């Protein structure tokens, strides 16, 4: 990625040592997960002898450096495991939704077919000048069924 190239590009080949691998992958890895304010951690230094050394470039095993490195390593592992877990959860939710849709597809098809048949049944079958005749026939039929229902209830 461009972050790795940018970090690696500032290191001279003669000055390369294994601690620089941590620096090369540190910023890009956490920036993948949205942590963009890493400058605060980069400016943290400790004094070893007479020189101030950034914690991530410390060459000896001071307790502060060990704890910080271990903490960052554990956070990185945690973030990776959580990301994998969320991707698996997303896949499970998609497969469950797909299964529900697949189980219901016959009913949806039948309902759609019923809607088409109902629309065809209720459509006017005569051309426009004669639609008044069909509306009149439907009105008489509706009135007849209503009257028949009222007398049948008595």
């Amino acid at each position: 990625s461009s972050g790795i190239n940018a970090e690696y590009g500032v290191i001279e080949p003669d000055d390369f040592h294994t601690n620089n691998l941590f620096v090369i992958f540190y910023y890009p890895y956490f920036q993948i997960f949205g942590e963009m304010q890493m400058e605060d951690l980069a400016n943290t230094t400790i004094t070893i002898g007479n020189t101030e050394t950034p914690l991530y470039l410390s060459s000896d095993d001071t307790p502060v450096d060990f704890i910080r490195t271990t903490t960052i390593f554990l956070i990185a592992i945690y973030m990776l495991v959580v990301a994998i877990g969320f991707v698996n959860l997303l896949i499970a939710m998609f497969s469950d939704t797909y299964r529900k849709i697949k189980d219901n597809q016959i009913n949806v098809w039948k309902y759609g077919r019923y809607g088409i048949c109902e629309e065809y049944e209720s459509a006017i079958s005569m051309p426009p000048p004669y639609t008044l005749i069909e509306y009149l026939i439907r009105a008489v039929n509706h009135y007849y069924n209503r009257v028949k229902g009222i007398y049948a209830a008595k």
Side-chain angles (χ1 to χ4, degrees):
S1 84
S2 60
I4 293 173
N5 292 336
E7 288 293 332
Y8 190 69
V10 298
I11 299 172
E12 295 290 328
D14 296 336
D15 296 337
F16 184 79
H17 51 87
T18 57
N19 288 346
N20 288 341
L21 286 176
F22 179 75
V23 177
I24 291 169
F25 292 104
Y26 179 70
Y27 292 112
Y29 180 80
F30 283 101
Q31 287 174 351
I32 288 173
F33 294 105
E35 182 60 56
M36 299 298 179
Q37 298 174 352
M38 301 301 288
E39 294 83 20
D40 298 337
L41 296 175
N43 293 331
T44 307
T45 59
I46 59 171
T47 304
I48 300 174
N50 293 332
T51 61
E52 284 194 5
T53 306
L55 285 175
Y56 58 85
L57 289 178
S58 178
S59 59
D60 62 346
D61 289 331
T62 59
V64 174
D65 188 33
F66 176 75
I67 291 170
R68 183 174 183 279
T69 304
T70 305
T71 304
I72 290 172
F73 177 74
L74 291 176
I75 289 173
I77 295 296
Y78 171 76
M79 291 170 72
L80 183 66
V81 168
V82 167
I84 291 171
F86 279 148
V87 168
N88 284 338
L89 181 65
L90 182 67
I91 290 169
M93 290 173 63
F94 280 154
S95 66
D96 185 51
T97 303
Y98 177 77
R99 183 190 52 78
K100 287 178 183 177
I101 291 171
K102 186 80 170 160
D103 291 345
N104 200 23
Q105 74 179 356
I106 297 296
N107 293 334
V108 170
W109 176 77
K110 287 179 182 177
Y111 182 75
R113 185 172 176 177
Y114 172 77
I116 291 172
C117 292
E118 187 68 28
E119 181 182 341
Y120 181 75
E121 181 70 27
S122 66
I124 305 286
S125 59
M126 296 184 156
Y130 302 109
T131 56
L132 292 175
I133 297 170
E134 182 142 359
Y135 282 127
L136 184 61
I137 292 171
R138 286 184 182 193
V140 169
N141 192 15
H142 177 72
Y143 178 72
Y144 174 74
N145 288 335
R146 225 172 141 150
V147 169
K148 187 172 110 175
I150 290 173
Y151 288 122
K154 288 183 180 181

